[in-house]
Amino acid sequence: MSNLLKRTLFGGLFLLVMLAAMLIDQYVFLGIMLLFLIFMMREFLRMTMQDRYRFSQLLAILAGVFMFVLSFLYMDGLCPKKYGLLVLLPIFIVMINSLYVKDKAEFGKFANLYTALLYIAVPWSVFNMAVFPDPENLGQFNGLFLLSLFLVVWASDVGAYLFGITLGQKYGKKLFPSVSPKKSWVGFWGGFFLAIVVAVCLYYLGFWNMSLLHCILLAAVMNVSGVYGDLIESQWKRHYCIKDSGHSLPGHGGMLDRFDSALLSIPTALIYLHLFDLMPACCN
C-alpha cells in the first residue's frame, strides 16, 4: 500500500473516531480519549525509557488515566469537588514505588514518568473543561465546542504542511532548524493564515459566540502555542533519534505525533477564554 493511500485511509478512520468521541455522548468521549491518552503515554515512555522499569511505567499510565477520569467525573457532575485532591494519590504511589526499585543503575529515567504526567496527562485532562464548558451547569456535554477547537488546530497543521512542502523548502528561512530542520517560516505563516480563516468561518457559522476580534486572536494564540507544542515533541524525538513517536496510525506515526500541537494549543485556548470571561457564552 502506498504511503499516500495509507495516510488517506488511516487519516479518514482517525477523523471518524474523533467525530464519534465528540458528537455521540460523553461516555463515548471518555472511552476514546482514555484510549488515546494510554497510547500517548505509552509512546512517550517507550521512547524515553524503552523497556526499563515496566511496572513503574504502568503505574504512571494508570495515574494519568485516574487523573483524566476523575476530572471527567467532576466536570460531568458525578464527583463532588472535595474528592478532587484524590488525583494526587496515584502520583504519590509512582513516587513511593521508586524507593522499592532494586536496580537503580538508570534511575534518572524515572524523571520521564513525571514528565509524561505533566506533559501529556495534565493537559489532556484539561480537555474535559472544553466538553463541559459551563462550570455553573456541570454535566452539560458539548463536544461540538472541543471539535471547533480541534478544527483550528488541524487547519494550522494542514496550512503549515501545504505551504511548507510547496514553498517553504525553496524560499525563506527555517523556523527552528536546531529542533526541526524541515519547518519553515513560510509553513508557519501558512498555518497561521488557515487557522484564522477557520476561526472566521466558525464565527460567521455561529459556532463561536464572541466578537470577531476575539475569534481571530484566539486562533492566533492557538496557532503559536500549537507550533510550540509540535516543536517540543520534535525536540524529544530528535534527542532520541526517532522519526515518529509510534506506529499506531500507519502513514501518520503515533498518537503523540497527532496530538502534540493540541496538548499546548487547546489548554492555552481555554486559558484565553477564561481570562477574558468568554466561557461558556462563546460556545452556547
Side-chain angles (χ1 to χ4, degrees):
M1 187 183 297
S2 69
N3 189 56
L4 178 60
L5 183 57
K6 276 185 182 179
R7 286 184 65 88
T8 303
L9 176 60
F10 286 96
L13 289 173
F14 172 74
L15 180 59
L16 288 175
V17 172
M18 288 293 291
L19 290 175
M22 288 175 276
L23 298 181
I24 296 179
D25 65 34
Q26 61 262 48
Y27 300 110
V28 174
F29 169 82
L30 174 63
I32 291 175
M33 299 302 271
L34 275 178
L35 186 63
F36 287 159
L37 173 62
I38 292 169
F39 268 101
M40 285 190 291
M41 292 190 70
R42 180 68 189 104
E43 288 170 0
F44 179 82
L45 293 172
R46 185 171 61 240
M47 172 174 63
T48 57
M49 299 180 71
Q50 293 78 49
D51 291 328
R52 300 286 293 169
Y53 309 116
R54 289 186 178 183
F55 180 72
S56 299
Q57 290 187 42
L58 177 61
L59 283 180
I61 292 172
L62 291 176
V65 167
F66 185 78
M67 185 183 300
F68 184 85
V69 171
L70 192 62
S71 63
F72 172 88
L73 292 176
Y74 169 70
M75 296 303 296
D76 198 22
L78 300 175
C79 177
K81 187 177 181 179
K82 65 180 180 180
Y83 295 121
L85 286 176
L86 290 175
V87 74
L88 295 174
L89 291 182
I91 300 174
F92 292 160
I93 292 172
V94 172
M95 296 178 182
I96 293 169
N97 168 71
S98 67
L99 297 172
Y100 294 92
V101 174
K102 294 181 179 179
D103 180 10
K104 292 184 170 61
E106 297 183 57
F107 185 70
K109 288 185 179 293
F110 264 74
N112 293 310
L113 300 175
Y114 312 128
T115 302
L117 289 167
L118 181 63
Y119 172 40
I120 300 172
V122 170
W124 199 250
S125 297
V126 171
F127 283 20
N128 286 311
M129 296 177 66
V131 294
F132 297 106
D134 189 351
E136 300 299 324
N137 295 288
L138 296 177
Q140 291 188 357
F141 181 75
N142 186 355
L144 195 60
F145 178 60
L146 179 58
L147 178 60
S148 72
L149 296 178
F150 267 112
L151 288 176
V152 176
V153 175
W154 294 335
S156 178
D157 288 345
V158 170
Y161 176 78
L162 293 178
F163 280 80
I165 201 170
T166 55
L167 301 173
Q169 303 305 313
K170 296 181 180 179
Y171 309 104
K173 296 181 179 180
K174 298 300 181 183
L175 179 64
F176 220 120
S178 62
V179 173
S180 184
K182 291 186 178 181
K183 289 182 174 59
S184 65
W185 278 104
V186 173
F188 170 82
W189 289 113
F192 188 91
F193 170 74
L194 200 55
I196 299 296
V197 168
V198 169
V200 171
C201 291
L202 290 168
Y203 170 78
Y204 281 108
L205 290 172
F207 288 100
W208 283 2
N209 297 319
M210 52 187 168
S211 70
L212 181 58
L213 176 60
H214 272 304
C215 291
I216 292 172
L217 290 175
L218 179 61
V221 167
M222 291 184 68
N223 176 78
V224 173
S225 56
V227 169
Y228 275 117
D230 193 331
L231 289 170
I232 288 169
E233 196 221 1
S234 294
Q235 183 168 248
W236 281 102
K237 292 191 294 185
R238 190 170 182 82
H239 177 75
Y240 287 100
C241 302
I242 62 172
K243 182 178 182 296
D244 298 316
S245 65
H247 307 285
S248 51
L249 277 173
H252 292 267
M255 286 298 173
L256 189 54
D257 294 321
R258 301 281 59 78
F259 291 112
D260 54 358
S261 299
L263 286 172
L264 254 68
S265 61
I266 290 180
T268 303
L270 293 172
I271 291 171
Y272 179 95
L273 292 168
H274 280 280
L275 283 177
F276 288 98
D277 294 322
L278 297 171
M279 294 285 282
C282 67
C283 48
N284 287 335

